[in-house]
Amino acid sequence: GENVEQHPSTLSVQEGDSAVIKCTYSDSASNYFPWYKQELGKRPQLIIDIRSNVGEKKDQRIAVTLNKTAKHFSLHITETQPEDSAVYFCAASPETFGNEKLTFGTGTRLTIIP
Amino acid sequence: EAQVTQNPRYLITVTGKKLTVTCSQNMNHEYMSWYRQDPGLGLRQIYYSMNVEVTDKGDVPEGYKVSRKEKRNFPLILESPSPNQTSLYFCASSLSSGSYEQYFGPGTRLTVT
């Protein structure tokens, strides 16, 4: 089955700086890669996703890049703000299967230092 | 308001005492799923359902049961809870089993002593 590794497990960044979280996956059939954000004590929420027919996707201060050859994808947050502090999870699945084969990474706790 | 609800939110129980965690969604979603979240392990799928009366095992199904008799409800049943099932449980739903955004419930923190 799919194995998703996520790094780093914790990340501290000065407010205003950029943060990068990286994930690698093992199954070459995976082609759907969502990112979920979980604030302290809250439920996970989708913040951005990418499918294998694109290499990069942006949504305001958040971007995700995908390298299918190397089997890795990354989340980039620019101009970080205190409200970006949360745990971020990457995930991967074969799009033909979708959510029933979605495998999550172990999470990155991002702390924004004011 | 579109939402996924879970009950109870917190539960402390003893080994072997059967319990049910309810999950309900009001978005007419076909797909529902249960995850457990443990420190350092991320979210692991327990069971999922692609539609009414259609359920299947996820990655960690041992010790759990589910049913999907109605589209909106997907209860998680622990017939004989054990301490290793102490965890934070999330129910989620999405439009279908394709690669769609999953909407998570608020979570149920279960402690088995």
Side-chain angles (χ1 to χ4, degrees):
Chain A
E2 175 67 277
N3 181 48
V4 177
E5 294 190 358
Q6 183 171 348
H7 299 282
S9 57
T10 60
L11 178 62
S12 295
V13 173
Q14 288 290 137
E15 183 178 352
D17 287 351
S18 296
V20 180
I21 302 170
K22 299 181 180 181
C23 290
T24 60
Y25 61 98
S26 61
D27 188 350
S28 57
S30 287
N31 50 13
Y32 172 62
F33 308 94
W35 285 87
Y36 283 81
K37 174 184 179 182
Q38 185 179 26
E39 297 177 4
L40 187 63
K42 300 286 181 64
R43 68 195 77 188
Q45 291 187 294
L46 181 73
I47 54 172
I48 194 167
D49 59 15
I50 191 168
R51 299 168 198 269
S52 63
N53 57 340
V54 296
E56 183 176 3
K57 183 177 180 180
K58 286 184 180 179
D59 183 3
Q60 299 183 327
R61 298 185 295 108
I62 293 173
V64 57
T65 58
L66 171 64
N67 183 328
K68 284 220 75 179
T69 303
K71 294 186 196 168
H72 69 70
F73 56 112
S74 300
L75 179 72
H76 304 254
I77 306 174
T78 59
E79 301 172 14
T80 52
Q81 301 170 4
E83 54 263 37
D84 294 328
S85 292
V87 177
Y88 292 81
F89 293 97
C90 63
S93 83
E95 193 166 2
T96 49
F97 291 99
N99 290 330
E100 66 264 36
K101 295 295 183 187
L102 193 65
T103 301
F104 284 86
T106 52
T108 296
R109 182 173 300 279
L110 174 64
T111 302
I112 306 303
I113 305 167
Chain B
E1 179 191 355
Q3 59 181 349
V4 179
T5 57
Q6 291 179 231
N7 282 292
R9 295 288 314 280
Y10 303 91
L11 180 60
I12 301 173
T13 189
V14 297
T15 299
K17 186 177 181 181
K18 181 179 178 180
L19 67 92
T20 299
V21 183
T22 64
C23 173
S24 183
Q25 51 91 8
N26 63 359
M27 295 171 279
N28 202 36
H29 284 171
E30 289 185 350
Y31 180 85
M32 298 185 75
S33 181
W34 276 102
Y35 294 91
R36 61 179 287 174
Q37 183 176 21
D38 302 289
L41 296 178
L43 291 156
R44 293 181 294 166
Q45 189 177 65
I46 304 170
Y47 268 94
Y48 63 90
S49 170
M50 290 197 279
N51 215 324
V52 176
E53 302 291 3
V54 181
T55 63
D56 208 346
K57 297 176 181 178
D59 296 321
V60 289
E62 296 76 21
Y64 305 95
K65 286 175 58 177
V66 294
S67 68
R68 187 94 180 270
K69 293 183 169 56
E70 303 167 285
K71 197 171 188 178
R72 64 184 292 129
N73 296 323
F74 190 43
L76 179 69
I77 303 158
L78 284 72
E79 294 270 4
S80 183
S82 63
N84 64 10
Q85 292 178 298
T86 293
S87 187
L88 179 59
Y89 291 86
F90 286 100
C91 178
S93 73
S94 64
L95 190 62
S96 78
S97 64
S99 47
Y100 295 98
E101 175 177 4
Q102 291 196 79
Y103 294 85
F104 283 81
T108 295
R109 186 165 293 282
L110 172 65
T111 301
V112 184
T113 62

